[in-house]
Amino acid sequence: MSRESVMASNGQPPPSREAAAVVGCLRSHSTFVMCAHEKPDGDVLGSGYALGLALKALGKRVIYFLDDEVPKNLRFMPEWHLSQRTFDGVPDDAIFVFFDMSDQSRAGSALQWVPGERIVDIDHHLGNKRFGHWNYVAESEAATGSLVLHLITALGVEITPDISTCLLATLVSDTGCFQYSNASPHTMRLGAALVEAGANKDLIIEQLYYTRSLGGQKVLGRALETAELTGDGICYSVVTQGLLEEFGATHEDLEDVVGALRVVEQCEVAALFKETPAGDFRLSMRSRGRFNVMQIARALGGGGHFRAAGATVRGPIQSAIATVLKAVRDEMARETRARKA
Ligand code: AMP
Ligand code: MN
Ligand code: MN
């Protein structure tokens, strides 16, 4: 590796003009609302709580708005208990910080009224729409939390053990505990720095990867038992509302299922169909690395990353499967043509 690439991987995300503008906004306003995407994960919540703690250290007012419940396995994070589902106490001049989402619609219905001129957008998804007045977007970063770490450092706030725990949770969450290809040397170094700053690594990993409900494990077993593998490398399975009810499980318990499909030999694209109470399906996709599942998700009205993406597709299940298999095959054909060209 050249000296330049070692230096690049060792540093923070490039201190861009975008980042400087966000820092200016954070310094010059006094009240902030931290906003999460639907089905919140470790990256979006950890990013919000970390920046919230830093802004409080600067004497700012911080409100954590969440239209969902905090998932049980994320209730170890400092600040989680302060998340609120209303806009009580939000003044007219509050700034809304949206984390970890490529467009405002991912924030869910309760946040659609917020005008762009009051929005800060901090994100690492491919194709972010830059829907804020201030946008700090770096697709190269493994987690939004890495951008937040850069902002907190630029604000001159000390990285306390609590902030470190929130930020390490973002990295652990979005890299599959540093296993996925997005865990670059730079990401690993950020992780090491956060452990040095006092992050509770053992607690994070125990909560995110080694704490599961028995019902959820049984649903995983059933989803694997009924999985299909097509001749062209699509491995998929379905989790119905009936199956969840049978074992007293929820969508929150399904985090590991699509990854367990992806490890199947010959699987290029894994797809999990999770039935919603309304009879539609939340689709989770993972790629082994050849095909870009974000493009497939986008064709279905969703989004994500190259190797992990999602969308919502209409039921009934047979038509949902047909729609998704066709979208996967379109992308496979496009990639194969592009490779030959
Ligand atoms: P998941 O399969 O739910 O873990 O999601 C994998 C990735 O796809 C994450 O980065 C999500 O933000 C993204 N994603 C999932 N569902 C959607 C959706 N309906 N619209 C846009 N992005 C999504
Ligand atoms: Mn996320
Ligand atoms: Mn993320």
Side-chain angles (χ1 to χ4, degrees):
M1 210 189 250
S2 71
R3 187 181 141 73
E4 285 67 32
S5 57
V6 172
M7 296 290 287
S9 64
N10 197 26
Q12 296 276 333
S16 64
R17 240 180 301 155
E18 289 192 324
V22 170
V23 169
C25 165
L26 298 174
R27 280 194 197 287
S28 60
H29 291 80
S30 56
T31 305
F32 298 89
V33 184
M34 303 296 160
C35 304
H37 59 66
E38 286 185 301
K39 302 273 153 196
D41 54 29
D43 190 20
V44 72
L45 293 183
S47 293
Y49 298 143
L51 189 59
L53 283 166
L55 291 170
K56 286 181 181 180
L58 292 173
K60 314 280 184 183
R61 245 191 101 210
V62 174
I63 290 149
Y64 304 106
F65 178 83
L66 192 59
D67 202 20
D68 282 285
E69 295 215 356
V70 177
K72 285 195 203 67
N73 66 348
L74 297 177
R75 293 185 191 170
F76 67 90
M77 287 209 228
E79 304 286 275
W80 80 267
H81 58 286
L82 298 177
S83 288
Q84 60 179 64
R85 297 181 93 150
T86 66
F87 294 107
D88 288 353
V90 176
D92 288 343
D93 61 351
I95 295 296
F96 290 72
V97 189
F98 286 62
F99 298 92
D100 196 39
M101 59 189 111
S102 49
D103 67 271
Q104 192 172 346
S105 66
R106 284 278 292 146
S109 53
L111 284 161
Q112 296 314 305
W113 64 272
V114 182
E117 69 254 27
R118 290 169 65 187
I119 292 179
V120 178
D121 153 30
I122 305 173
D123 183 37
H124 68 133
H125 285 86
L126 298 174
N128 179 289
K129 298 230 173 76
R130 291 173 198 266
F131 56 95
H133 182 75
W134 301 269
N135 302 279
Y136 181 27
V137 179
E139 296 171 351
S140 58
E141 291 305 306
T144 298
S146 142
L147 302 177
V148 172
L149 173 58
H150 177 64
L151 293 172
I152 294 176
T153 307
L155 284 167
V157 174
E158 185 198 346
I159 308 292
T160 61
D162 274 357
I163 290 178
S164 306
T165 292
C166 295
L167 292 178
L168 186 61
T170 73
L171 298 178
V172 168
S173 180
D174 271 22
T175 61
C177 209
F178 299 99
Q179 293 180 79
Y180 307 151
S181 59
N182 61 357
S184 65
H186 157 69
T187 315
M188 315 284 277
R189 287 188 185 96
L190 293 183
L194 292 168
V195 175
E196 270 169 355
N200 195 339
K201 167 180 108 354
D202 296 353
L203 174 68
I204 294 168
I205 294 175
E206 189 66 22
Q207 288 297 311
L208 290 180
Y209 295 99
Y210 296 102
T211 306
R212 299 293 182 258
S213 69
L214 180 60
Q217 293 300 87
K218 290 185 178 183
V219 171
L220 169 64
R222 190 70 70 77
L224 288 174
E225 212 174 278
T226 56
E228 303 275 351
L229 176 66
T230 68
D232 52 357
I234 308 168
C235 189
Y236 66 92
S237 191
V238 179
V239 172
T240 61
Q241 283 290 317
L243 179 57
L244 292 174
E245 278 159 26
E246 184 180 341
F247 293 117
T250 67
H251 278 206
E252 211 180 294
D253 296 307
L254 302 180
E255 283 272 299
D256 304 331
V257 182
V258 70
L261 299 173
R262 195 194 70 96
V263 303
V264 171
E265 260 184 304
Q266 292 117 19
C267 170
E268 287 292 345
V269 172
L272 179 69
F273 297 82
K274 300 173 273 190
E275 191 180 18
T276 68
D280 294 325
F281 292 86
R282 281 181 180 275
L283 171 69
S284 277
M285 288 184 291
R286 299 292 182 271
S287 164
R288 189 177 292 282
R290 177 167 165 195
F291 301 110
N292 184 349
V293 288
M294 191 277 287
Q295 292 293 357
I296 303 168
R298 197 176 265 182
L300 296 165
H305 307 279
F306 193 104
R307 284 173 177 247
T312 297
V313 283
R314 279 268 159 79
I317 187 60
Q318 286 315 328
S319 77
I321 291 173
T323 303
V324 171
L325 291 184
K326 177 172 184 314
V328 175
R329 286 174 175 142
D330 286 349
E331 177 58 20
M332 287 176 154
R334 195 204 57 74
E335 197 275 348
T336 305
R337 274 195 311 275
R339 227 154 43 122
K340 284 197 186 124

